[in-house]
Amino acid sequence: MKTTLFEFPSYQYEISDWEFKKKGLLNRINKGEFVRTDLQTFETDRQTAGKKYVNYLEEFLKDVLLEFCEEAKVSCSMTDAWCVRYQKGDQQTIHNHRGWGFSGVLYVEFDPKVHTPTCFMAPWQDPRTDTTSLSYPENVKEGTIFISPSFTHHFVKPNESRKTRTVISFDLLPVLPQHQSVSQVVVS
């Protein structure tokens, strides 16, 4: 009899009233500075200061993040958020964010007819074939949020369209119980 030993949680949500929120978000995003470096095949504001959309983002994601925390049975805080724009030919190499916590992606400008969602790699090999399984979130459209463990390796295939593909990525760290928090340790 087959039994499950480990679970690999991931979560997908749709932002309500997306068209209205998208306008406000893009208005704020487009006021920022985007950088393309020799090591990056995309434009991002991750290394820049003064991201004008973060407070707006946190406010309209509040209900979705509360739903996620309830489903995942965890209390989290958003520790970082950044925007990435993919022009024709741009891509993202395989990477992960950290060894614990959760990371999310909000699809801001995304045409499912010409863009592919983020591709995620299984954290273990298939025991029958010794291959790595790849998976994409299903039914992704503008306003979709996908959240997975931060250690999950993922990448973005090259944008083969002239349409810009824009996402906001973010990290969520669990709030540690008091007995695990370093700030609670008293040294005498």
Side-chain angles (χ1 to χ4, degrees):
M1 168 178 31
K2 180 179 175 182
T3 184
T4 302
L5 193 57
F6 298 104
E7 176 190 31
F8 190 78
S10 55
Y11 307 84
Q12 186 166 327
Y13 307 95
E14 303 299 326
I15 299 295
S16 63
D17 200 16
W18 172 247
E19 286 305 316
F20 174 76
K21 292 173 181 173
K22 176 185 173 184
K23 288 177 187 172
L25 188 57
L26 282 173
N27 184 39
R28 288 164 175 84
I29 286 171
N30 291 331
K31 290 179 182 174
E33 176 188 358
F34 282 77
V35 176
R36 180 185 295 268
T37 69
D38 292 339
L39 298 175
Q40 298 170 170
T41 53
F42 51 84
E43 300 171 352
T44 184
D45 65 359
R46 184 151 196 196
Q47 294 85 13
T48 64
K51 298 174 205 162
K52 305 210 181 300
Y53 57 87
V54 173
N55 290 337
Y56 182 75
L57 176 73
E58 285 181 318
E59 185 58 35
F60 82 69
L61 288 184
K62 188 186 304 182
D63 290 341
V64 168
L65 294 180
L66 286 172
E67 184 179 348
F68 160 73
C69 288
E70 189 174 301
E71 263 190 276
K73 297 178 176 69
V74 65
S75 293
C76 287
S77 61
M78 187 182 294
T79 59
D80 198 5
W82 61 96
C83 187
V84 181
R85 292 193 298 215
Y86 300 90
Q87 307 298 340
K88 184 170 178 139
D90 288 355
Q91 63 185 325
Q92 174 73 272
T93 58
I94 296 171
H95 67 285
N96 67 0
H97 292 206
R98 60 178 65 226
W100 72 302
F102 295 88
S103 295
V105 59
L106 167 61
Y107 294 88
V108 179
E109 292 179 301
F110 184 86
D111 182 346
K113 294 177 185 163
V114 296
H115 297 135
T116 57
T118 308
C119 184
F120 292 87
M121 298 175 58
W124 48 73
Q125 300 294 101
D126 184 317
R128 296 172 296 267
T129 62
D130 194 32
T131 57
T132 302
S133 296
L134 302 177
S135 186
Y136 297 87
E138 296 181 5
N139 303 313
V140 172
K141 61 185 183 215
E142 291 185 356
T144 297
I145 291 184
F146 189 80
I147 300 173
S148 66
S150 293
F151 61 75
T152 312
H153 283 88
H154 56 283
F155 63 94
V156 175
K157 288 186 171 184
N159 181 4
E160 296 179 2
S161 168
R162 292 189 184 275
K163 286 186 175 180
T164 301
R165 177 188 186 276
T166 304
V167 300
I168 293 180
S169 296
F170 54 91
D171 289 331
L172 302 168
L173 281 184
V175 177
L176 290 174
Q178 282 192 347
H179 72 277
Q180 288 182 306
S181 178
V182 173
S183 63
Q184 301 297 320
V185 175
V186 177
V187 180
S188 7

